[in-house]
mmCIF file of all heavy atoms in Angstrom:
data_model
loop_
_atom_site.group_PDB
_atom_site.id
_atom_site.type_symbol
_atom_site.label_atom_id
_atom_site.label_comp_id
_atom_site.label_asym_id
_atom_site.label_seq_id
_atom_site.Cartn_x
_atom_site.Cartn_y
_atom_site.Cartn_z
ATOM 1 N N ASP A 77 130.904 104.590 114.089
ATOM 2 C CA ASP A 77 131.147 103.081 114.369
ATOM 3 C C ASP A 77 131.156 102.711 115.860
ATOM 4 O O ASP A 77 131.607 101.620 116.253
ATOM 5 C CB ASP A 77 132.543 102.602 113.768
ATOM 6 C CG ASP A 77 133.717 103.350 114.373
ATOM 7 O OD1 ASP A 77 133.541 104.307 115.181
ATOM 8 O OD2 ASP A 77 134.818 102.993 114.067
ATOM 9 N N ASN A 78 130.672 103.584 116.614
ATOM 10 C CA ASN A 78 130.440 103.388 118.118
ATOM 11 C C ASN A 78 129.118 103.898 118.621
ATOM 12 O O ASN A 78 129.083 104.604 119.565
ATOM 13 C CB ASN A 78 131.707 103.889 118.825
ATOM 14 C CG ASN A 78 131.557 103.582 120.383
ATOM 15 O OD1 ASN A 78 131.202 102.521 120.767
ATOM 16 N ND2 ASN A 78 132.140 104.576 121.176
ATOM 17 N N LYS A 79 128.024 103.538 117.949
ATOM 18 C CA LYS A 79 126.723 103.959 118.267
ATOM 19 C C LYS A 79 126.082 103.330 119.472
ATOM 20 O O LYS A 79 126.172 101.970 119.543
ATOM 21 C CB LYS A 79 125.830 103.938 117.036
ATOM 22 C CG LYS A 79 126.216 104.800 115.904
ATOM 23 C CD LYS A 79 125.025 104.696 114.770
ATOM 24 C CE LYS A 79 125.548 105.370 113.623
ATOM 25 N NZ LYS A 79 124.649 105.373 112.428
ATOM 26 N N SER A 80 125.442 104.088 120.330
ATOM 27 C CA SER A 80 124.815 103.405 121.458
ATOM 28 C C SER A 80 123.217 103.836 121.372
ATOM 29 O O SER A 80 123.040 104.884 120.929
ATOM 30 C CB SER A 80 125.361 104.035 122.764
ATOM 31 O OG SER A 80 126.744 103.676 122.913
ATOM 32 N N ILE A 81 122.523 103.009 121.986
ATOM 33 C CA ILE A 81 121.102 103.218 122.065
ATOM 34 C C ILE A 81 120.667 103.166 123.562
ATOM 35 O O ILE A 81 121.356 102.460 124.315
ATOM 36 C CB ILE A 81 120.166 102.364 121.173
ATOM 37 C CG1 ILE A 81 120.352 100.899 121.510
ATOM 38 C CG2 ILE A 81 120.397 102.699 119.749
ATOM 39 C CD1 ILE A 81 119.426 99.989 120.761
ATOM 40 N N LEU A 82 119.682 103.804 123.894
ATOM 41 C CA LEU A 82 119.310 103.981 125.369
ATOM 42 C C LEU A 82 117.806 103.593 125.575
ATOM 43 O O LEU A 82 117.030 103.793 124.737
ATOM 44 C CB LEU A 82 119.513 105.416 125.824
ATOM 45 C CG LEU A 82 118.909 105.770 127.180
ATOM 46 C CD1 LEU A 82 119.750 105.106 128.176
ATOM 47 C CD2 LEU A 82 118.936 107.260 127.358
ATOM 48 N N ALA A 83 117.637 102.789 126.562
ATOM 49 C CA ALA A 83 116.234 102.289 127.054
ATOM 50 C C ALA A 83 116.277 102.254 128.472
ATOM 51 O O ALA A 83 117.306 102.130 129.163
ATOM 52 C CB ALA A 83 115.901 101.050 126.273
ATOM 53 N N ALA A 84 115.068 102.097 129.079
ATOM 54 C CA ALA A 84 114.772 101.732 130.453
ATOM 55 C C ALA A 84 114.286 100.380 130.472
ATOM 56 O O ALA A 84 113.568 99.883 129.562
ATOM 57 C CB ALA A 84 113.956 102.784 131.221
ATOM 58 N N CYS A 85 114.513 99.728 131.663
ATOM 59 C CA CYS A 85 114.037 98.394 131.743
ATOM 60 C C CYS A 85 113.548 98.052 133.169
ATOM 61 O O CYS A 85 113.846 98.893 134.176
ATOM 62 C CB CYS A 85 114.943 97.301 131.343
ATOM 63 S SG CYS A 85 116.433 97.140 132.380
ATOM 64 N N SER A 86 112.723 97.093 133.425
ATOM 65 C CA SER A 86 112.196 96.714 134.648
ATOM 66 C C SER A 86 113.110 96.100 135.650
ATOM 67 O O SER A 86 112.742 95.727 136.793
ATOM 68 C CB SER A 86 110.897 95.878 134.547
ATOM 69 O OG SER A 86 111.166 94.637 133.909
ATOM 70 N N GLU A 87 114.344 95.731 135.245
ATOM 71 C CA GLU A 87 115.376 95.238 136.107
ATOM 72 C C GLU A 87 115.596 96.302 137.268
ATOM 73 O O GLU A 87 115.871 97.455 136.949
ATOM 74 C CB GLU A 87 116.681 94.979 135.417
ATOM 75 C CG GLU A 87 117.853 94.617 136.221
ATOM 76 C CD GLU A 87 117.764 93.254 136.798
ATOM 77 O OE1 GLU A 87 116.845 92.462 136.485
ATOM 78 O OE2 GLU A 87 118.626 92.934 137.743
ATOM 79 N N PRO A 88 115.468 95.927 138.546
ATOM 80 C CA PRO A 88 115.753 96.866 139.585
ATOM 81 C C PRO A 88 117.223 97.273 139.792
ATOM 82 O O PRO A 88 118.126 96.473 139.425
ATOM 83 C CB PRO A 88 115.208 96.107 140.872
ATOM 84 C CG PRO A 88 115.423 94.736 140.498
ATOM 85 C CD PRO A 88 115.202 94.589 139.065
ATOM 86 N N SER A 89 117.414 98.359 140.279
ATOM 87 C CA SER A 89 118.842 98.868 140.640
ATOM 88 C C SER A 89 119.120 98.291 142.027
ATOM 89 O O SER A 89 118.339 98.357 142.996
ATOM 90 C CB SER A 89 118.821 100.419 140.729
ATOM 91 O OG SER A 89 118.828 101.013 139.367
ATOM 92 N N LEU A 90 120.338 97.709 142.077
ATOM 93 C CA LEU A 90 120.811 97.089 143.341
ATOM 94 C C LEU A 90 121.091 97.920 144.401
ATOM 95 O O LEU A 90 121.004 97.589 145.603
ATOM 96 C CB LEU A 90 121.938 96.061 142.918
ATOM 97 C CG LEU A 90 121.556 95.022 141.952
ATOM 98 C CD1 LEU A 90 122.806 94.032 141.763
ATOM 99 C CD2 LEU A 90 120.420 94.160 142.310
ATOM 100 N N ARG A 91 121.557 99.132 144.040
ATOM 101 C CA ARG A 91 121.957 100.242 145.125
ATOM 102 C C ARG A 91 121.086 101.364 145.045
ATOM 103 O O ARG A 91 121.514 102.467 145.413
ATOM 104 C CB ARG A 91 123.344 100.525 144.851
ATOM 105 C CG ARG A 91 124.449 99.462 145.095
ATOM 106 C CD ARG A 91 125.835 99.991 144.869
ATOM 107 N NE ARG A 91 126.030 101.363 145.495
ATOM 108 C CZ ARG A 91 126.878 102.271 145.043
ATOM 109 N NH1 ARG A 91 127.642 101.902 143.975
ATOM 110 N NH2 ARG A 91 127.017 103.369 145.666
ATOM 111 N N ALA A 92 119.849 101.241 144.905
ATOM 112 C CA ALA A 92 118.870 102.286 144.800
ATOM 113 C C ALA A 92 118.770 102.995 146.155
ATOM 114 O O ALA A 92 118.780 104.238 146.166
ATOM 115 C CB ALA A 92 117.488 101.866 144.370
ATOM 116 N N LYS A 93 118.886 102.291 147.250
ATOM 117 C CA LYS A 93 118.876 102.881 148.605
ATOM 118 C C LYS A 93 120.040 103.778 148.924
ATOM 119 O O LYS A 93 120.033 104.586 149.680
ATOM 120 C CB LYS A 93 118.650 101.862 149.642
ATOM 121 C CG LYS A 93 119.968 100.901 149.738
ATOM 122 C CD LYS A 93 119.674 99.845 150.879
ATOM 123 C CE LYS A 93 120.918 99.010 151.022
ATOM 124 N NZ LYS A 93 120.743 97.943 152.021
ATOM 125 N N ASP A 94 121.200 103.618 148.043
ATOM 126 C CA ASP A 94 122.331 104.440 148.292
ATOM 127 C C ASP A 94 122.338 105.646 147.273
ATOM 128 O O ASP A 94 123.305 106.273 147.208
ATOM 129 C CB ASP A 94 123.701 103.654 148.048
ATOM 130 C CG ASP A 94 123.678 102.499 148.954
ATOM 131 O OD1 ASP A 94 123.364 102.596 150.153
ATOM 132 O OD2 ASP A 94 124.336 101.419 148.592
ATOM 133 N N GLY A 95 121.145 105.820 146.600
ATOM 134 C CA GLY A 95 121.006 106.895 145.624
ATOM 135 C C GLY A 95 121.707 106.675 144.251
ATOM 136 O O GLY A 95 121.927 107.502 143.572
ATOM 137 N N ALA A 96 122.005 105.351 143.950
ATOM 138 C CA ALA A 96 122.560 105.042 142.731
ATOM 139 C C ALA A 96 121.578 104.346 141.829
ATOM 140 O O ALA A 96 120.668 103.722 142.306
ATOM 141 C CB ALA A 96 123.762 104.109 142.940
ATOM 142 N N THR A 97 121.682 104.505 140.523
ATOM 143 C CA THR A 97 120.967 103.934 139.508
ATOM 144 C C THR A 97 121.785 103.052 138.689
ATOM 145 O O THR A 97 122.854 103.372 138.150
ATOM 146 C CB THR A 97 120.124 104.869 138.657
ATOM 147 O OG1 THR A 97 119.399 105.784 139.422
ATOM 148 C CG2 THR A 97 119.352 104.272 137.476
ATOM 149 N N ASP A 98 121.363 101.758 138.403
ATOM 150 C CA ASP A 98 122.115 100.828 137.593
ATOM 151 C C ASP A 98 121.895 101.078 136.136
ATOM 152 O O ASP A 98 120.854 101.441 135.711
ATOM 153 C CB ASP A 98 121.752 99.375 138.012
ATOM 154 C CG ASP A 98 122.132 98.966 139.333
ATOM 155 O OD1 ASP A 98 122.841 99.837 140.075
ATOM 156 O OD2 ASP A 98 122.013 97.851 139.850
#
Side-chain angles (χ1 to χ4, degrees):
D77 61 353
N78 185 31
K79 294 182 181 180
S80 298
I81 57 175
L82 173 66
C85 70
S86 60
E87 172 73 7
S89 287
L90 302 181
R91 288 181 49 208
K93 64 180 181 180
D94 299 325
T97 299
D98 290 358

